[in-house]
Amino acid sequence: MDKAAYADYKAKRAVWEEKTKAIRDEMEAMIAVERQAESDRLFLKRDDATKDALAKPLDELTPFERQMFEKHWWQLGYTEANFWKRLKGDKKERYLELQAELAKYDDINPGEAPTGMGLKELGTEAPPTHILGLANYAAPKDEVEPGFLSVLDPGPAELHQPEGVVSTGRRSALANWLADANNPLTARVMANRIWHYHFGRGIVGTPSDFGRMGERPSHPELLDWLTSEFIANGWSVKDMHRLIMTSRTYKQASMFNEAAQAKDPFDKLLWRFPPQRLEGEVIRDSMLAVAGKLNPVVGGPSVFPPLPDGMPKPRGGWDATDDPAEQTRRSVYIFVRRNNRYPMMQAFDMPDTHESCARRSTTITAPQALSLLNDEQTVEWAEALAERVLERAGADKGRQVDEAFLLAYSRKPDGFEKDSALTFFDSQRKVIEQRMNAGELVADVDSPVEGLGQAETAALVDFCHALLNSNEFVFQN
């Protein structure tokens, strides 16, 4: 939210607060006793040091006490929505009346302003830092001074307080050391990660571990050169992308070579471009895109697409978003429950959200194929793709094949592929018609093309479904 938008928000919020002040004050007064009792109960559970920090004025707190204050104060001020349910009789009825009165002003209420978390230093003198006994802040031992890892830089850290800023200078010292042109380690890690995301594997195969327990670089001189280029070009990530993507190595075909495979079975030396299975998020977004359903809107809150039938709701709830357009937002906006990953993402190796992930594992499992074959949403996207094909090609089956390949693969089919597809259309149509006549199948797919039967349309849907399930669609080659 920019300054102008925030000023507009504050003006609208002030109008709402002024018009509803009397109502809100009366509501707050009715639950004040319950709120204070809850706050007192939570306060008494804290240790003495925390109680002292919470009881002091802010300007009298030491840096350590300020940390304790910030950690606990918001919990004592917790506004539980159910306080009013503890009211009885006439008081409860009155509170409900006030709630209804307050709701009449919802049309002028801009809601709560978006908030973000940030850190700032409280002064120019840092509190002492100690080694803690059993990791307990209440058991400090030897004091330690700021410094870098001795194996990398054995000298003491040089601290300089920045001018015009309330700061100890510690963070800027660390930042300057990390980004110093004479320190190639940071740039080396970054260059390796950029390479990793283009090729599916870094020059060092363990992108978060360059130490003894990590893998040795497959091309050490190349990594050193990329690092020097990265620094020389002002740490420009865009320039590094361009350098890698215009290289002969990146532009190689992914064709198989039996002799090279025998010498380098894992393609560590990059004798071909390594085929890479797309992440689950990219597969879902690609299917939505070719189906013409992807919502490209940027920003906003997370969304909850429908869960598969029979799957229990995860702890914490999962109320599917009602708006169909919101359900087809990009996968980056899907809400993440730590204990329950979205099923399609989990099938395609979404990392454990309890810990950081330097490199995703890639597996080939039966649930992946079953997810793409049987999931209702995948079938719906195949139907939407078939509808796009019919809008472009009409009843001409040859053109249908061409358009389906163009939409799914961004290329036209070769002669063998086109003949195979046309043969599939004919055989699948017959199978569908037989099952419909036997009462085993109800084809409820309506064709937007006049004169095209349900069985022919259903066969096209099955063909589009097969394209979405193919290796060419889910692999980057």
Side-chain angles (χ1 to χ4, degrees):
M1 182 181 290
D2 58 28
K3 289 184 178 180
Y6 186 60
D8 181 61
Y9 164 81
K10 288 200 299 183
K12 292 178 179 178
R13 183 73 176 184
V15 171
W16 177 81
E17 288 178 351
E18 180 183 359
K19 291 182 179 294
T20 61
K21 185 177 186 305
I23 299 173
R24 291 183 294 107
D25 286 350
E26 185 177 350
M27 293 173 71
E28 178 60 30
M30 295 179 72
I31 64 171
V33 174
E34 293 289 348
R35 189 193 304 284
Q36 187 61 49
E38 182 70 8
S39 180
D40 292 343
R41 184 184 71 81
L42 294 171
F43 179 83
L44 292 173
K45 293 173 65 176
R46 268 61 189 175
D47 58 40
D48 292 340
T50 304
K51 291 177 185 176
D52 290 342
L54 291 168
K56 284 184 180 181
L58 286 180
D59 57 359
E60 296 181 11
L61 294 176
T62 66
F64 178 75
E65 288 175 331
R66 182 61 183 265
Q67 287 182 344
M68 302 306 295
F69 177 87
E70 295 293 341
K71 180 178 179 180
H72 292 275
W73 75 267
W74 63 272
Q75 298 178 27
L76 304 186
Y78 181 63
T79 55
E80 185 180 340
N82 291 331
F83 282 148
W84 67 269
K85 292 184 179 178
R86 303 176 189 180
L87 301 175
K88 305 294 182 182
D90 293 342
K91 288 186 176 181
K92 188 171 186 177
E93 289 184 12
R94 176 57 182 162
Y95 193 90
L96 292 173
E97 290 175 2
L98 291 169
Q99 276 188 329
E101 285 294 318
L102 186 62
K104 293 178 181 178
Y105 295 90
D106 284 350
D107 58 333
I108 63 170
N109 182 7
E112 297 294 333
T115 59
M117 296 182 65
L119 297 174
K120 70 175 183 178
E121 294 188 73
L122 300 175
T124 57
E125 296 295 328
T129 302
H130 295 269
I131 297 174
L132 303 179
L134 300 176
N136 184 354
Y137 71 86
K141 293 189 175 183
D142 298 339
E143 184 177 350
V144 292
E145 295 295 329
F148 307 114
L149 294 175
S150 57
V151 69
L152 302 177
D153 189 343
E158 295 183 10
L159 303 181
H160 303 284
Q161 292 183 359
E163 294 183 5
V165 179
V166 178
S167 171
T168 63
R170 292 186 174 190
R171 290 186 299 162
S172 56
L174 175 60
N176 290 332
W177 179 79
L178 288 172
D180 193 322
N182 295 320
N183 173 15
L185 298 176
T186 309
R188 200 165 185 259
V189 170
M190 188 63 182
N192 185 69
R193 279 189 179 270
I194 297 172
W195 184 279
H196 161 80
Y197 285 114
H198 281 298
F199 289 93
R201 178 188 180 86
I203 298 172
V204 175
T206 50
S208 281
D209 189 351
F210 281 43
R212 288 189 176 183
M213 301 301 292
E215 294 185 18
R216 301 299 88 198
S218 58
H219 302 76
E221 295 87 355
L222 172 60
L223 181 56
D224 290 343
W225 181 75
L226 288 172
T227 301
S228 63
E229 288 294 301
F230 189 44
I231 295 173
N233 289 322
W235 298 67
S236 170
V237 175
K238 182 178 286 187
D239 283 349
M240 183 58 62
H241 284 310
R242 184 181 297 111
L243 180 64
I244 292 173
M245 296 176 72
T246 55
S247 68
R248 286 191 301 170
T249 304
Y250 184 82
K251 291 188 286 187
Q252 285 185 111
S254 56
M255 294 176 62
F256 183 76
N257 183 302
E258 189 172 349
Q261 170 76 8
K263 294 180 180 179
D264 180 21
F266 297 105
D267 194 25
K268 289 185 178 181
L269 301 180
L270 296 172
W271 48 269
R272 67 167 176 167
F273 185 86
Q276 301 170 55
R277 214 275 319 285
L278 301 177
E279 300 96 333
E281 295 90 334
V282 180
I283 294 173
R284 176 180 176 273
D285 290 355
S286 298
M287 287 185 173
L288 285 168
V290 301
K293 289 184 171 292
L294 183 66
N295 182 349
V297 172
V298 175
S302 299
V303 297
F304 296 80
L307 296 174
D309 289 340
M311 178 180 173
K313 283 189 178 181
R315 187 174 64 187
W318 188 281
D319 295 325
T321 306
D322 293 330
D323 186 353
E326 287 295 298
Q327 293 179 6
T328 57
R329 295 284 303 280
R330 291 167 52 212
S331 299
V332 70
Y333 295 109
I334 294 179
F335 192 87
V336 175
R337 290 263 182 235
R338 286 189 178 181
N339 295 318
N340 292 85
R341 288 166 281 179
Y342 188 62
M344 182 178 182
M345 307 308 153
Q346 183 171 2
F348 285 95
D349 307 308
M350 180 180 178
D352 183 346
T353 51
H354 290 86
E355 57 191 33
S356 62
C357 175
R359 180 180 64 184
R360 287 195 181 195
S361 59
T362 302
T363 62
I364 305 296
T365 64
Q368 294 166 356
L370 294 173
S371 173
L372 297 185
L373 281 170
N374 300 325
D375 187 78
E376 266 187 39
Q377 284 192 319
T378 307
V379 176
E380 290 175 4
W381 299 336
E383 291 174 353
L385 174 57
E387 187 172 341
R388 291 187 73 194
V389 170
L390 290 174
E391 289 173 354
R392 292 175 173 224
D396 186 328
K397 290 185 173 53
R399 285 192 60 200
Q400 289 175 9
V401 177
D402 289 341
E403 294 297 334
F405 266 72
L406 282 171
L407 288 170
Y409 300 153
S410 299
R411 68 173 180 86
K412 286 190 174 183
D414 60 29
F416 176 78
E417 289 170 329
K418 192 165 187 176
D419 288 343
S420 299
L422 293 173
T423 302
F424 171 82
F425 280 166
D426 187 54
S427 61
Q428 188 69 357
R429 175 185 57 78
K430 292 177 181 178
V431 170
I432 293 171
E433 286 177 343
Q434 289 175 356
R435 295 189 64 192
M436 289 174 64
N437 293 334
E440 299 174 357
L441 178 69
V442 177
D444 56 356
V445 181
D446 293 326
S447 171
V449 178
E450 187 176 351
L452 198 65
Q454 281 194 332
E456 291 175 304
T457 305
L460 176 60
V461 171
D462 290 342
F463 174 67
C464 291
H465 196 185
L467 293 182
L468 298 181
N469 277 263
S470 65
N471 277 350
E472 184 168 349
F473 190 83
V474 300
F475 272 80
Q476 175 186 350
N477 293 296

